[in-house]
């Protein structure tokens, strides 16, 4: 289970939501008041965690939306490959390959033997920080 349902009206800036099947971080939430003929609406603007694409979601406040479950995992860098980083998860000792982070400062600090924190979101991995 990589997502859980949550009411759209309870989402806040900085939390996560799934829009068009892509996990996103919320950058703005606007709520409209309930009108004479309908329920309150929520307008959510979010940026994709893996692709950086801006996405919008407009829905009634009581609509259930999917929220990704973020699992934070410690891993050790085994090798720097041309396009990916080979990591060993410190919890299960399995090895995985993860794309380099977009942030130049993070990318430069990744060295063999160093530990990193990765987030597992919807069976995909992303390097978030170097420890």
């Amino acid at each position: 289970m990589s997502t859980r349902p949550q009411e759209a009206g309870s989402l806040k800036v900085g939390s996560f939501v799934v829009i068009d099947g892509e996990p996103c971080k919320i950058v703005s939430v606007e709520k409209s008041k309930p009108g004479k003929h309908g329920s309150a609406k929520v307008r959510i603007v979010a940026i994709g965690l893996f692709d950086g694409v801006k996405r919008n979601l407009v829905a009634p406040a009581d609509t259930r939306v999917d929220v990704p479950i973020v699992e934070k995992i410690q891993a050790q860098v085994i090798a720097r490959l041309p396009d990916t980083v080979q990591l060993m998860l410190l919890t299960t000792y399995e090895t995985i390959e993860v794309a380099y982070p977009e942030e130049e400062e993070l990318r430069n600090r990744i060295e063999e033997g160093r530990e990193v924190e990765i987030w597992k979101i919807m069976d995909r991995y992303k390097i978030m920080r170097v420890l």
Side-chain angles (χ1 to χ4, degrees):
M1 188 172 97
S2 56
T3 62
R4 61 181 167 78
Q6 188 172 335
E7 281 191 5
S10 67
L11 295 172
K12 294 179 175 40
V13 172
S15 60
F16 303 104
V17 66
V18 177
I19 301 176
D20 301 331
E22 190 68 33
C24 303
K25 184 173 189 172
I26 297 173
V27 291
S28 85
V29 176
E30 289 178 29
K31 293 179 185 168
S32 64
K33 301 225 182 305
K36 189 173 177 184
H37 298 289
S39 61
K41 295 265 191 297
V42 178
R43 176 174 283 111
I44 296 170
V45 178
I47 295 178
L49 289 170
F50 292 101
D51 59 7
V53 174
K54 188 186 228 183
R55 292 180 171 81
N56 296 312
L57 174 71
V58 179
D62 57 357
T63 300
R64 290 223 174 276
V65 293
D66 284 334
V67 174
I69 296 169
V70 177
E71 188 181 338
K72 297 179 181 179
I73 305 168
Q74 307 280 317
Q76 184 174 12
V77 178
I78 295 174
R80 289 180 59 124
L81 305 172
D83 301 324
T84 58
V85 182
Q86 190 174 30
L87 301 172
M88 177 181 70
L89 305 183
L90 296 178
T91 49
T92 61
Y93 301 111
E94 68 178 290
T95 57
I96 58 168
E97 286 188 18
V98 180
Y100 281 100
E102 270 109 61
E103 300 85 16
E104 194 69 36
E105 189 260 328
L106 258 184
R107 187 183 303 207
N108 293 337
R109 292 180 50 210
I110 294 174
E111 301 165 14
E112 293 178 12
R114 287 211 61 182
E115 288 188 16
V116 294
E117 179 183 285
I118 56 173
W119 287 8
K120 182 180 179 185
I121 306 165
M122 296 172 68
D123 295 326
R124 289 156 72 189
Y125 296 94
K126 181 171 177 146
I127 298 173
M128 296 309 286
R129 63 190 183 122
V130 178
L131 304 174

